Amino acid sequence: MPCAAPCNRLPCNKHCSKTLSCGHRCPGICGEVCAEGYCHQCSDKLEARVDFLEMKSYREIDVDETLVVVLGCGHFFTAESLDRILGMSEVYEVDGYGEFTGLKDVSGDLAQLIPCCLDCKCLVRQFATQRYNRVINRAILDEMSKRFLTTGRDELRELKQRIAELERNLGTTREEIMQPILQAKAHVTSSLT
């Protein structure tokens, strides 16, 4: 089961050194699940649009230079495209060469949305790719915080209304109790005089 804390490891930008079952080099990133079925040489996915920055198809990219990431839904994109679109620079310090150099403090502001696939809009899941866990977990925690705050605000409003109602009822009950006592006191005072 994946953890829910924003990941504190820096993403790797190195090419996977493993070989796919077809015998060709994996086009993915070191540390990720190998992209079986996404071989650049023998896959039937060469016409898929994988680069949203230069609008290139899989056939047009150089897999020795450009790495791909396969999402849980089966769609795949260049790491550079996903990094930019999913907001990796919001959670990691990045140098001028695109290398991740450190973690950014993400406690100051909330993430806008939970990341989703660019093609089918399915949510990007932690278990499918580790590269985006910090972005995903931050968005999930922020979404949970927003829901908690909204629910808490609604419950607080209901409690305030209930307290106001109880105070009104207490005032009414007090008058109902005090009225016979005051009448009895007035009757006792008048009979003594």
Side-chain angles (χ1 to χ4, degrees), residues 121-146:
K121 304 303 179 205
C122 286
L123 296 179
V124 178
R125 302 287 183 192
Q126 298 103 320
F127 60 84
T129 175
Q130 293 183 14
R131 183 175 184 82
Y132 302 106
N133 276 353
R134 186 168 177 81
V135 173
I136 296 165
N137 289 345
R138 172 190 178 217
I140 289 171
L141 286 173
D142 290 351
E143 185 64 29
M144 289 170 52
S145 297
K146 290 176 198 174

PDB file of all heavy atoms in Angstrom, residues 121-146:
ATOM      1  N   LYS A 121      -8.256  11.573 -18.956  1.00  0.00           N
ATOM      2  CA  LYS A 121      -8.618  12.284 -17.727  1.00  0.00           C
ATOM      3  C   LYS A 121      -8.753  11.386 -16.505  1.00  0.00           C
ATOM      4  O   LYS A 121      -9.294  11.801 -15.489  1.00  0.00           O
ATOM      5  CB  LYS A 121      -9.900  13.115 -17.912  1.00  0.00           C
ATOM      6  CG  LYS A 121      -9.847  14.106 -19.049  1.00  0.00           C
ATOM      7  CD  LYS A 121      -8.693  15.061 -18.915  1.00  0.00           C
ATOM      8  CE  LYS A 121      -8.635  16.024 -20.082  1.00  0.00           C
ATOM      9  NZ  LYS A 121      -7.318  16.538 -20.308  1.00  0.00           N
ATOM     10  N   CYS A 122      -8.259  10.142 -16.578  1.00  0.00           N
ATOM     11  CA  CYS A 122      -8.218   9.278 -15.394  1.00  0.00           C
ATOM     12  C   CYS A 122      -7.179   9.846 -14.434  1.00  0.00           C
ATOM     13  O   CYS A 122      -6.153  10.366 -14.862  1.00  0.00           O
ATOM     14  CB  CYS A 122      -7.811   7.849 -15.763  1.00  0.00           C
ATOM     15  SG  CYS A 122      -9.107   6.925 -16.578  1.00  0.00           S
ATOM     16  N   LEU A 123      -7.452   9.731 -13.140  1.00  0.00           N
ATOM     17  CA  LEU A 123      -6.502  10.220 -12.154  1.00  0.00           C
ATOM     18  C   LEU A 123      -5.202   9.439 -12.233  1.00  0.00           C
ATOM     19  O   LEU A 123      -5.209   8.230 -12.452  1.00  0.00           O
ATOM     20  CB  LEU A 123      -7.096  10.095 -10.747  1.00  0.00           C
ATOM     21  CG  LEU A 123      -8.338  10.933 -10.459  1.00  0.00           C
ATOM     22  CD1 LEU A 123      -8.828  10.677  -9.045  1.00  0.00           C
ATOM     23  CD2 LEU A 123      -8.076  12.405 -10.677  1.00  0.00           C
ATOM     24  N   VAL A 124      -4.088  10.132 -12.070  1.00  0.00           N
ATOM     25  CA  VAL A 124      -2.778   9.479 -12.022  1.00  0.00           C
ATOM     26  C   VAL A 124      -2.644   8.893 -10.623  1.00  0.00           C
ATOM     27  O   VAL A 124      -2.763   9.609  -9.635  1.00  0.00           O
ATOM     28  CB  VAL A 124      -1.639  10.478 -12.315  1.00  0.00           C
ATOM     29  CG1 VAL A 124      -0.288   9.802 -12.202  1.00  0.00           C
ATOM     30  CG2 VAL A 124      -1.821  11.096 -13.695  1.00  0.00           C
ATOM     31  N   ARG A 125      -2.413   7.605 -10.529  1.00  0.00           N
ATOM     32  CA  ARG A 125      -2.351   6.899  -9.247  1.00  0.00           C
ATOM     33  C   ARG A 125      -0.909   6.710  -8.792  1.00  0.00           C
ATOM     34  O   ARG A 125      -0.020   6.510  -9.611  1.00  0.00           O
ATOM     35  CB  ARG A 125      -3.035   5.534  -9.355  1.00  0.00           C
ATOM     36  CG  ARG A 125      -4.482   5.624  -9.777  1.00  0.00           C
ATOM     37  CD  ARG A 125      -5.294   6.137  -8.651  1.00  0.00           C
ATOM     38  NE  ARG A 125      -6.700   6.160  -9.042  1.00  0.00           N
ATOM     39  CZ  ARG A 125      -7.602   6.759  -8.356  1.00  0.00           C
ATOM     40  NH1 ARG A 125      -7.296   7.375  -7.243  1.00  0.00           N
ATOM     41  NH2 ARG A 125      -8.860   6.753  -8.744  1.00  0.00           N
ATOM     42  N   GLN A 126      -0.724   6.718  -7.458  1.00  0.00           N
ATOM     43  CA  GLN A 126       0.617   6.558  -6.898  1.00  0.00           C
ATOM     44  C   GLN A 126       1.251   5.234  -7.292  1.00  0.00           C
ATOM     45  O   GLN A 126       2.434   5.169  -7.562  1.00  0.00           O
ATOM     46  CB  GLN A 126       0.584   6.615  -5.368  1.00  0.00           C
ATOM     47  CG  GLN A 126       0.105   7.918  -4.807  1.00  0.00           C
ATOM     48  CD  GLN A 126      -1.318   7.817  -4.312  1.00  0.00           C
ATOM     49  OE1 GLN A 126      -2.167   7.185  -4.924  1.00  0.00           O
ATOM     50  NE2 GLN A 126      -1.600   8.466  -3.209  1.00  0.00           N
ATOM     51  N   PHE A 127       0.468   4.164  -7.285  1.00  0.00           N
ATOM     52  CA  PHE A 127       1.037   2.840  -7.530  1.00  0.00           C
ATOM     53  C   PHE A 127       1.465   2.643  -8.981  1.00  0.00           C
ATOM     54  O   PHE A 127       2.246   1.758  -9.286  1.00  0.00           O
ATOM     55  CB  PHE A 127       0.060   1.734  -7.125  1.00  0.00           C
ATOM     56  CG  PHE A 127      -1.241   1.781  -7.873  1.00  0.00           C
ATOM     57  CD1 PHE A 127      -1.370   1.192  -9.121  1.00  0.00           C
ATOM     58  CD2 PHE A 127      -2.342   2.415  -7.324  1.00  0.00           C
ATOM     59  CE1 PHE A 127      -2.559   1.244  -9.811  1.00  0.00           C
ATOM     60  CE2 PHE A 127      -3.556   2.462  -8.012  1.00  0.00           C
ATOM     61  CZ  PHE A 127      -3.655   1.879  -9.254  1.00  0.00           C
ATOM     62  N   ALA A 128       0.988   3.456  -9.887  1.00  0.00           N
ATOM     63  CA  ALA A 128       1.292   3.285 -11.311  1.00  0.00           C
ATOM     64  C   ALA A 128       2.642   3.898 -11.679  1.00  0.00           C
ATOM     65  O   ALA A 128       3.360   3.359 -12.519  1.00  0.00           O
ATOM     66  CB  ALA A 128       0.195   3.893 -12.166  1.00  0.00           C
ATOM     67  N   THR A 129       2.986   5.006 -11.079  1.00  0.00           N
ATOM     68  CA  THR A 129       4.261   5.653 -11.347  1.00  0.00           C
ATOM     69  C   THR A 129       4.746   6.345 -10.089  1.00  0.00           C
ATOM     70  O   THR A 129       4.014   7.114  -9.483  1.00  0.00           O
ATOM     71  CB  THR A 129       4.183   6.663 -12.513  1.00  0.00           C
ATOM     72  OG1 THR A 129       5.430   7.333 -12.625  1.00  0.00           O
ATOM     73  CG2 THR A 129       3.078   7.655 -12.369  1.00  0.00           C
ATOM     74  N   GLN A 130       5.971   6.051  -9.691  1.00  0.00           N
ATOM     75  CA  GLN A 130       6.522   6.654  -8.481  1.00  0.00           C
ATOM     76  C   GLN A 130       7.025   8.073  -8.732  1.00  0.00           C
ATOM     77  O   GLN A 130       7.134   8.864  -7.810  1.00  0.00           O
ATOM     78  CB  GLN A 130       7.664   5.802  -7.947  1.00  0.00           C
ATOM     79  CG  GLN A 130       7.199   4.460  -7.435  1.00  0.00           C
ATOM     80  CD  GLN A 130       8.340   3.660  -6.852  1.00  0.00           C
ATOM     81  OE1 GLN A 130       9.414   4.176  -6.591  1.00  0.00           O
ATOM     82  NE2 GLN A 130       8.104   2.389  -6.645  1.00  0.00           N
ATOM     83  N   ARG A 131       7.317   8.377  -9.955  1.00  0.00           N
ATOM     84  CA  ARG A 131       7.896   9.677 -10.302  1.00  0.00           C
ATOM     85  C   ARG A 131       7.026  10.844  -9.831  1.00  0.00           C
ATOM     86  O   ARG A 131       7.533  11.881  -9.418  1.00  0.00           O
ATOM     87  CB  ARG A 131       8.100   9.762 -11.813  1.00  0.00           C
ATOM     88  CG  ARG A 131       8.764  11.045 -12.268  1.00  0.00           C
ATOM     89  CD  ARG A 131       9.041  10.988 -13.763  1.00  0.00           C
ATOM     90  NE  ARG A 131       9.752  12.142 -14.230  1.00  0.00           N
ATOM     91  CZ  ARG A 131      11.072  12.307 -14.138  1.00  0.00           C
ATOM     92  NH1 ARG A 131      11.803  11.377 -13.592  1.00  0.00           N
ATOM     93  NH2 ARG A 131      11.647  13.401 -14.602  1.00  0.00           N
ATOM     94  N   TYR A 132       5.726  10.683  -9.879  1.00  0.00           N
ATOM     95  CA  TYR A 132       4.815  11.793  -9.581  1.00  0.00           C
ATOM     96  C   TYR A 132       4.157  11.678  -8.208  1.00  0.00           C
ATOM     97  O   TYR A 132       3.196  12.377  -7.916  1.00  0.00           O
ATOM     98  CB  TYR A 132       3.768  11.912 -10.703  1.00  0.00           C
ATOM     99  CG  TYR A 132       4.444  12.121 -12.029  1.00  0.00           C
ATOM    100  CD1 TYR A 132       4.518  11.092 -12.963  1.00  0.00           C
ATOM    101  CD2 TYR A 132       5.063  13.319 -12.322  1.00  0.00           C
ATOM    102  CE1 TYR A 132       5.182  11.277 -14.167  1.00  0.00           C
ATOM    103  CE2 TYR A 132       5.736  13.508 -13.519  1.00  0.00           C
ATOM    104  CZ  TYR A 132       5.787  12.484 -14.432  1.00  0.00           C
ATOM    105  OH  TYR A 132       6.460  12.671 -15.606  1.00  0.00           O
ATOM    106  N   ASN A 133       4.692  10.828  -7.330  1.00  0.00           N
ATOM    107  CA  ASN A 133       4.079  10.634  -6.015  1.00  0.00           C
ATOM    108  C   ASN A 133       4.015  11.914  -5.184  1.00  0.00           C
ATOM    109  O   ASN A 133       3.038  12.147  -4.497  1.00  0.00           O
ATOM    110  CB  ASN A 133       4.804   9.542  -5.224  1.00  0.00           C
ATOM    111  CG  ASN A 133       4.297   8.170  -5.588  1.00  0.00           C
ATOM    112  OD1 ASN A 133       3.325   8.026  -6.323  1.00  0.00           O
ATOM    113  ND2 ASN A 133       4.956   7.155  -5.082  1.00  0.00           N
ATOM    114  N   ARG A 134       5.035  12.739  -5.236  1.00  0.00           N
ATOM    115  CA  ARG A 134       5.005  13.978  -4.438  1.00  0.00           C
ATOM    116  C   ARG A 134       3.893  14.898  -4.923  1.00  0.00           C
ATOM    117  O   ARG A 134       3.168  15.480  -4.125  1.00  0.00           O
ATOM    118  CB  ARG A 134       6.363  14.684  -4.493  1.00  0.00           C
ATOM    119  CG  ARG A 134       6.458  15.897  -3.582  1.00  0.00           C
ATOM    120  CD  ARG A 134       7.904  16.386  -3.444  1.00  0.00           C
ATOM    121  NE  ARG A 134       8.016  17.584  -2.648  1.00  0.00           N
ATOM    122  CZ  ARG A 134       8.028  17.611  -1.331  1.00  0.00           C
ATOM    123  NH1 ARG A 134       7.943  16.493  -0.657  1.00  0.00           N
ATOM    124  NH2 ARG A 134       8.143  18.760  -0.679  1.00  0.00           N
ATOM    125  N   VAL A 135       3.735  15.007  -6.225  1.00  0.00           N
ATOM    126  CA  VAL A 135       2.667  15.839  -6.793  1.00  0.00           C
ATOM    127  C   VAL A 135       1.298  15.245  -6.450  1.00  0.00           C
ATOM    128  O   VAL A 135       0.389  15.963  -6.011  1.00  0.00           O
ATOM    129  CB  VAL A 135       2.834  15.949  -8.332  1.00  0.00           C
ATOM    130  CG1 VAL A 135       1.655  16.660  -8.957  1.00  0.00           C
ATOM    131  CG2 VAL A 135       4.134  16.639  -8.682  1.00  0.00           C
ATOM    132  N   ILE A 136       1.158  13.942  -6.635  1.00  0.00           N
ATOM    133  CA  ILE A 136      -0.129  13.273  -6.395  1.00  0.00           C
ATOM    134  C   ILE A 136      -0.502  13.327  -4.923  1.00  0.00           C
ATOM    135  O   ILE A 136      -1.620  13.720  -4.563  1.00  0.00           O
ATOM    136  CB  ILE A 136      -0.075  11.809  -6.881  1.00  0.00           C
ATOM    137  CG1 ILE A 136       0.131  11.746  -8.395  1.00  0.00           C
ATOM    138  CG2 ILE A 136      -1.340  11.062  -6.492  1.00  0.00           C
ATOM    139  CD1 ILE A 136       0.548  10.376  -8.901  1.00  0.00           C
ATOM    140  N   ASN A 137       0.433  12.927  -4.049  1.00  0.00           N
ATOM    141  CA  ASN A 137       0.128  12.897  -2.618  1.00  0.00           C
ATOM    142  C   ASN A 137      -0.168  14.285  -2.072  1.00  0.00           C
ATOM    143  O   ASN A 137      -1.044  14.451  -1.228  1.00  0.00           O
ATOM    144  CB  ASN A 137       1.268  12.242  -1.841  1.00  0.00           C
ATOM    145  CG  ASN A 137       1.338  10.753  -2.094  1.00  0.00           C
ATOM    146  OD1 ASN A 137       0.401  10.147  -2.617  1.00  0.00           O
ATOM    147  ND2 ASN A 137       2.441  10.145  -1.731  1.00  0.00           N
ATOM    148  N   ARG A 138       0.542  15.285  -2.558  1.00  0.00           N
ATOM    149  CA  ARG A 138       0.254  16.658  -2.140  1.00  0.00           C
ATOM    150  C   ARG A 138      -1.176  17.042  -2.534  1.00  0.00           C
ATOM    151  O   ARG A 138      -1.934  17.590  -1.732  1.00  0.00           O
ATOM    152  CB  ARG A 138       1.250  17.612  -2.783  1.00  0.00           C
ATOM    153  CG  ARG A 138       0.899  19.062  -2.538  1.00  0.00           C
ATOM    154  CD  ARG A 138       1.752  19.972  -3.377  1.00  0.00           C
ATOM    155  NE  ARG A 138       1.371  21.354  -3.163  1.00  0.00           N
ATOM    156  CZ  ARG A 138       1.361  22.252  -4.109  1.00  0.00           C
ATOM    157  NH1 ARG A 138       1.751  21.940  -5.329  1.00  0.00           N
ATOM    158  NH2 ARG A 138       0.992  23.485  -3.855  1.00  0.00           N
ATOM    159  N   ALA A 139      -1.542  16.732  -3.763  1.00  0.00           N
ATOM    160  CA  ALA A 139      -2.887  17.077  -4.236  1.00  0.00           C
ATOM    161  C   ALA A 139      -3.956  16.327  -3.450  1.00  0.00           C
ATOM    162  O   ALA A 139      -4.998  16.899  -3.100  1.00  0.00           O
ATOM    163  CB  ALA A 139      -3.012  16.784  -5.724  1.00  0.00           C
ATOM    164  N   ILE A 140      -3.711  15.056  -3.154  1.00  0.00           N
ATOM    165  CA  ILE A 140      -4.687  14.269  -2.395  1.00  0.00           C
ATOM    166  C   ILE A 140      -4.825  14.812  -0.978  1.00  0.00           C
ATOM    167  O   ILE A 140      -5.939  14.984  -0.471  1.00  0.00           O
ATOM    168  CB  ILE A 140      -4.295  12.775  -2.392  1.00  0.00           C
ATOM    169  CG1 ILE A 140      -4.513  12.191  -3.798  1.00  0.00           C
ATOM    170  CG2 ILE A 140      -5.102  11.989  -1.364  1.00  0.00           C
ATOM    171  CD1 ILE A 140      -3.966  10.793  -3.982  1.00  0.00           C
ATOM    172  N   LEU A 141      -3.700  15.095  -0.325  1.00  0.00           N
ATOM    173  CA  LEU A 141      -3.750  15.655   1.031  1.00  0.00           C
ATOM    174  C   LEU A 141      -4.454  17.011   1.038  1.00  0.00           C
ATOM    175  O   LEU A 141      -5.245  17.307   1.939  1.00  0.00           O
ATOM    176  CB  LEU A 141      -2.346  15.785   1.608  1.00  0.00           C
ATOM    177  CG  LEU A 141      -1.677  14.489   2.033  1.00  0.00           C
ATOM    178  CD1 LEU A 141      -0.228  14.749   2.421  1.00  0.00           C
ATOM    179  CD2 LEU A 141      -2.422  13.849   3.183  1.00  0.00           C
ATOM    180  N   ASP A 142      -4.163  17.831   0.033  1.00  0.00           N
ATOM    181  CA  ASP A 142      -4.814  19.139  -0.042  1.00  0.00           C
ATOM    182  C   ASP A 142      -6.314  18.998  -0.284  1.00  0.00           C
ATOM    183  O   ASP A 142      -7.113  19.733   0.294  1.00  0.00           O
ATOM    184  CB  ASP A 142      -4.170  19.997  -1.130  1.00  0.00           C
ATOM    185  CG  ASP A 142      -2.766  20.452  -0.757  1.00  0.00           C
ATOM    186  OD1 ASP A 142      -2.360  20.256   0.408  1.00  0.00           O
ATOM    187  OD2 ASP A 142      -2.062  20.988  -1.631  1.00  0.00           O
ATOM    188  N   GLU A 143      -6.700  18.045  -1.120  1.00  0.00           N
ATOM    189  CA  GLU A 143      -8.122  17.797  -1.371  1.00  0.00           C
ATOM    190  C   GLU A 143      -8.815  17.323  -0.096  1.00  0.00           C
ATOM    191  O   GLU A 143      -9.915  17.766   0.224  1.00  0.00           O
ATOM    192  CB  GLU A 143      -8.290  16.761  -2.487  1.00  0.00           C
ATOM    193  CG  GLU A 143      -9.722  16.521  -2.890  1.00  0.00           C
ATOM    194  CD  GLU A 143     -10.407  17.733  -3.497  1.00  0.00           C
ATOM    195  OE1 GLU A 143      -9.738  18.573  -4.113  1.00  0.00           O
ATOM    196  OE2 GLU A 143     -11.639  17.843  -3.334  1.00  0.00           O
ATOM    197  N   MET A 144      -8.152  16.438   0.636  1.00  0.00           N
ATOM    198  CA  MET A 144      -8.716  15.962   1.907  1.00  0.00           C
ATOM    199  C   MET A 144      -8.830  17.116   2.904  1.00  0.00           C
ATOM    200  O   MET A 144      -9.817  17.215   3.631  1.00  0.00           O
ATOM    201  CB  MET A 144      -7.856  14.835   2.477  1.00  0.00           C
ATOM    202  CG  MET A 144      -7.974  13.545   1.694  1.00  0.00           C
ATOM    203  SD  MET A 144      -6.779  12.264   2.151  1.00  0.00           S
ATOM    204  CE  MET A 144      -6.958  12.151   3.889  1.00  0.00           C
ATOM    205  N   SER A 145      -7.835  17.992   2.929  1.00  0.00           N
ATOM    206  CA  SER A 145      -7.870  19.150   3.827  1.00  0.00           C
ATOM    207  C   SER A 145      -9.024  20.077   3.469  1.00  0.00           C
ATOM    208  O   SER A 145      -9.729  20.579   4.352  1.00  0.00           O
ATOM    209  CB  SER A 145      -6.550  19.922   3.754  1.00  0.00           C
ATOM    210  OG  SER A 145      -5.492  19.125   4.202  1.00  0.00           O
ATOM    211  N   LYS A 146      -9.207  20.314   2.169  1.00  0.00           N
ATOM    212  CA  LYS A 146     -10.322  21.167   1.729  1.00  0.00           C
ATOM    213  C   LYS A 146     -11.661  20.571   2.154  1.00  0.00           C
ATOM    214  O   LYS A 146     -12.540  21.282   2.651  1.00  0.00           O
ATOM    215  CB  LYS A 146     -10.302  21.324   0.204  1.00  0.00           C
ATOM    216  CG  LYS A 146      -9.176  22.157  -0.334  1.00  0.00           C
ATOM    217  CD  LYS A 146      -9.220  22.151  -1.858  1.00  0.00           C
ATOM    218  CE  LYS A 146      -7.934  22.589  -2.468  1.00  0.00           C
ATOM    219  NZ  LYS A 146      -7.928  22.460  -3.927  1.00  0.00           N
TER     220      LYS A 146
END
